[in-house]
Amino acid sequence: MQKLLFIIHAAPYGNESFFSGLRLALQIQEQYKSAVELKLFLMSDAVAGGLAKQNPAEGYHIQQMLEILTAQGATVKLCKTCTNARGMTDLPLAEGVQIGTLAELADWSIEADKVFNF
C-alpha cells in the first residue's frame, strides 16, 4: 500500500490551491482506494478549511470535500499551533477532522512514500 501525504497551507477560499489539492486527493482515493493510504495535514490558513458549519455562497465546498475523504478512510488533521494562533482550537470541526501536532506531521513525512504540498 502506497502512503501519500498532502500538506496544505493555502487558505480554503480565495484561490484554488486548497481546492486543487483536495481534488487530487479525491481522484486518487477514487481511482486507487485499495492501494493507497491518504493523510492530509492542514497548516497555516488552511486550518480554517477543517471547521464545521461552512456555508460558501457559491462554488466548491471544502468542508464537504474533507468529509468525503474522511468517510472513505483518509486521515485529516489540523496543525494545533496554527489553530491556537487563530483562536480556532475549540471550535467545532468538520466530521472526521482532528487536531494534530507537528510531531505527527514529522512521523507522517518520514513514513510517506510521496508528499504533496499545496
Side-chain angles (χ1 to χ4, degrees), residues 76-115:
V76 177
K77 293 203 175 185
L78 309 180
C79 170
K80 184 176 184 175
T81 303
C82 303
T83 60
N84 283 344
R86 289 158 180 80
M88 298 172 34
T89 304
D90 296 324
L91 296 177
L93 302 177
E95 191 169 328
V97 174
Q98 304 169 344
I99 300 291
T101 64
L102 197 57
E104 287 175 296
L105 177 58
D107 290 342
W108 288 4
S109 298
I110 293 298
E111 296 164 0
D113 296 307
K114 292 181 182 159
V115 179

Side-chain angles (χ1 to χ4, degrees), residues 4 10-11 14 18-19 21 28 33 36 43 48 50-51 54 58 60-61 68 75 88-89 97 101 103 112:
L4 306 179
F18 195 124
F19 176 62
I28 289 171
K33 69 175 106 181
V36 296
M43 301 184 79
L51 292 175
Q54 292 180 37
E58 57 185 62
Y60 52 90
H61 196 297
I68 290 167
T75 302
M88 298 172 34
T89 304
V97 174
T101 64

